[in-house]
Amino acid sequence: MTRYHCHRSQMDCGQWRRSLAVLLALSICVFFVSHCRADLPATIARLKPSVVLVGIYGATDNPRFTFRGTGFAVSSGLELVTNAHVLPETLPNGPGQQLAVMTWSGVGQWNLRKVNVVTLDRSRDLALLRMDGPAIPPLKIAEVPAQEGQAIAFMGFPIGGVLGYSHVTHRGVISSVAALALPPPTSQYLTEKTVAQLRRGNFQIYQLDATAYPGNSGGPVFDPETGELVAVINSVMIKGARETAISNPTGISYAIPAAHVLTLLQESRP
């Protein structure tokens, strides 16, 4: 009877230890999930001054500022990154017209700043701008490539002025790391854009499970906890290359890895 009692005690002890381990693991998971959720509002508040409206200023236009897309500060805080397609094909050179950005200094407070184009990388749809005046907080660029399943958030101005000029943040995960221009199964699916991209050289892009809208182009994709730049939202060039053959676009969002922003900055240095 005593031996049987000891055996039961050992079994109960093992079950208790396993239950304790499960509870501990669940507690850790809850802590990290809660921690990330708690950090996102703080990250958003910290990043807002770094994210700008990109557009055209016209002294005689109505409205004077025409919104075209989103951008964000890097490097010294005077350099800004956006999509190349956000800029007009022909830069404004008429009287009183200028490429410009609007920087945020508080709720409903926007400051107009004139900018110049430093570098255009149309093959990766990136543009580097420089503005005059005081610097704004730059985003730190992640040096390690993102991974599938990684949590992300992105900030911008979807639908532009229709919803008012307010920062809007979406969150999701990187659902896939894939090639920009996929080799078509047959020649009937070849398009001018696909052929041009294949000739320029393919590169990896991030597919996101969150939906970006017009106005989000050029906006930062960032780590919700650290705020580090992970990628740049792109809703035109990449969809044109990957979804041309789809009669009803999927609404999936894509982004250009931050490594290409680092390359853009390096190439722009004297």
Side-chain angles (χ1 to χ4, degrees), residues 58 76 132 162 233:
S76 68
D132 297 328
V162 174
I233 286 288

Side-chain angles (χ1 to χ4, degrees), residues 57-72:
Y57 170 78
T60 59
D61 295 346
N62 185 22
R64 292 186 176 181
F65 180 79
T66 303
F67 172 75
R68 293 185 62 89
T70 303
F72 55 91

Side-chain angles (χ1 to χ4, degrees), residues 10-78:
Q10 289 172 359
M11 289 182 61
D12 291 343
C13 183
Q15 291 175 350
W16 180 82
R17 287 177 178 173
R18 286 193 293 273
S19 299
L20 182 61
V22 170
L23 288 173
L24 181 60
L26 288 173
S27 298
I28 292 172
C29 290
V30 169
F31 170 78
F32 280 111
V33 169
S34 301
H35 182 62
C36 290
R37 287 179 177 173
D39 275 354
L40 182 57
T43 302
I44 291 172
R46 190 172 75 252
L47 265 54
K48 276 186 177 182
S50 306
V51 182
V52 304
L53 300 152
V54 181
I56 304 296
Y57 170 78
T60 59
D61 295 346
N62 185 22
R64 292 186 176 181
F65 180 79
T66 303
F67 172 75
R68 293 185 62 89
T70 303
F72 55 91
V74 294
S75 191
S76 68
L78 293 176

Side-chain angles (χ1 to χ4, degrees), residues 38-155:
D39 275 354
L40 182 57
T43 302
I44 291 172
R46 190 172 75 252
L47 265 54
K48 276 186 177 182
S50 306
V51 182
V52 304
L53 300 152
V54 181
I56 304 296
Y57 170 78
T60 59
D61 295 346
N62 185 22
R64 292 186 176 181
F65 180 79
T66 303
F67 172 75
R68 293 185 62 89
T70 303
F72 55 91
V74 294
S75 191
S76 68
L78 293 176
E79 287 77 28
L80 307 167
V81 171
T82 187
N83 286 154
H85 80 259
V86 166
L87 309 183
E89 288 289 334
T90 303
L91 294 177
N93 56 8
Q97 284 196 326
Q98 174 72 42
L99 189 63
V101 298
M102 298 276 278
T103 61
W104 187 79
S105 58
V107 178
Q109 298 179 19
W110 293 96
N111 303 310
L112 182 70
R113 308 277 292 275
K114 294 181 179 180
V115 296
N116 295 304
V117 177
V118 177
T119 306
L120 279 177
D121 181 357
R122 295 197 182 277
S123 66
R124 282 155 177 72
D125 199 23
L126 292 174
L128 182 65
L129 314 176
R130 184 177 177 85
M131 64 181 177
D132 297 328
I136 60 177
L139 297 187
K140 183 179 179 181
I141 303 174
E143 297 182 358
V144 178
Q147 298 179 342
E148 294 179 358
Q150 179 175 331
I152 53 89
F154 59 89
M155 184 181 294

